[in-house]
Amino acid sequence: EVAALQKLASDGSAPLATRVIAVFTLKQALGATTHPFLEKLASDPSIAAWAIRALTDHEGQLDRVSPAPLLAGLKSSDPRTRIEATVALARLGKPEHALAIVRLLGSEDPVVAHTAVKALVRLRAVDDCLAVVDLTDVSATQRTGALRVLQSLHEERVVDALTTRLNKETDAARREGLIRALCHLYYV
């Protein structure tokens, strides 16, 4: 019964594994009709990562997924929730969400930072990453992450943008990052 599964998934006193099984059973059985329930469940930090994962688990059911719980998940203190929210936003495929993901490039958690890079590549977030590269007060980790995204986007406009920045940059360390990114690009 649907109500029993929803109650179990929402029950904070139930074992986590049992709750996760309930979440994915609902999603697999009912598909996109579970989205309102899963979006609400995503606000519960104890199960948010799995609710977010279930929301975008089926790429054929993304049409009516609200980005709000996913964007909220990016701000979670739980690394797993941030990772799942990042992957979910990438699956939605809307470039306007890239800016929210960019800040995770500087995460101290290497898995979160790596997931952000992969998501931004999927979203083809050239402009957002170039904006990070241009900042002088950004962390080295975040700038390196932005350059990793750009070096994965083999497009003429990326090469041109990085070359323009290299020609203007005078700081040796910042120039080195630009050169490294350009070395990975083979677009002619």
Side-chain angles (χ1 to χ4, degrees), residues 31 34-35 46 54-56 63 70-71 73 127 129 135 171 177:
T34 62
H35 289 178
S46 66
L55 269 170
T56 61
D63 294 343
L70 313 180
L71 293 166
D127 294 331
C129 289
L135 294 173
D171 181 87

Side-chain angles (χ1 to χ4, degrees), residues 46-180:
S46 66
I47 190 98
W50 292 273
I52 290 169
R53 174 72 178 257
L55 269 170
T56 61
D57 205 33
H58 190 289
E59 292 201 8
Q61 299 174 354
L62 299 177
D63 294 343
R64 290 183 270 144
V65 173
S66 169
L70 313 180
L71 293 166
L74 293 178
K75 298 173 185 172
S76 171
S77 60
D78 175 43
R80 182 178 186 123
T81 301
R82 290 194 310 270
I83 290 166
E84 295 299 346
T86 303
V87 171
L89 286 168
R91 284 183 178 157
L92 287 184
K94 296 181 180 175
E96 62 266 23
H97 298 136
L99 188 58
I101 297 170
V102 163
R103 73 175 187 85
L104 297 180
L105 291 171
S107 175
E108 292 181 14
D109 185 315
V111 179
V112 171
H114 175 75
T115 305
V117 167
K118 292 300 186 181
L120 292 167
V121 169
R122 183 168 178 170
L123 293 173
R124 308 197 75 69
V126 174
D127 294 331
D128 294 311
C129 289
L130 286 171
V132 171
V133 168
D134 291 343
L135 294 173
T136 55
D137 61 344
V138 71
S139 73
T141 305
Q142 192 170 11
R143 186 170 192 272
T144 299
L147 288 167
R148 285 182 53 217
V149 172
L150 294 167
Q151 74 188 26
S152 299
L153 298 172
H154 301 271
E155 300 174 15
E156 187 173 0
R157 73 182 186 120
V158 175
V159 173
D160 291 345
L162 292 176
T163 302
T164 298
R165 283 158 176 79
L166 178 63
N167 290 336
K168 294 178 182 177
E169 185 60 63
T170 57
D171 181 87
R174 290 175 60 86
R175 284 181 59 83
E176 181 180 339
L178 293 166
I179 291 168
R180 285 180 187 270

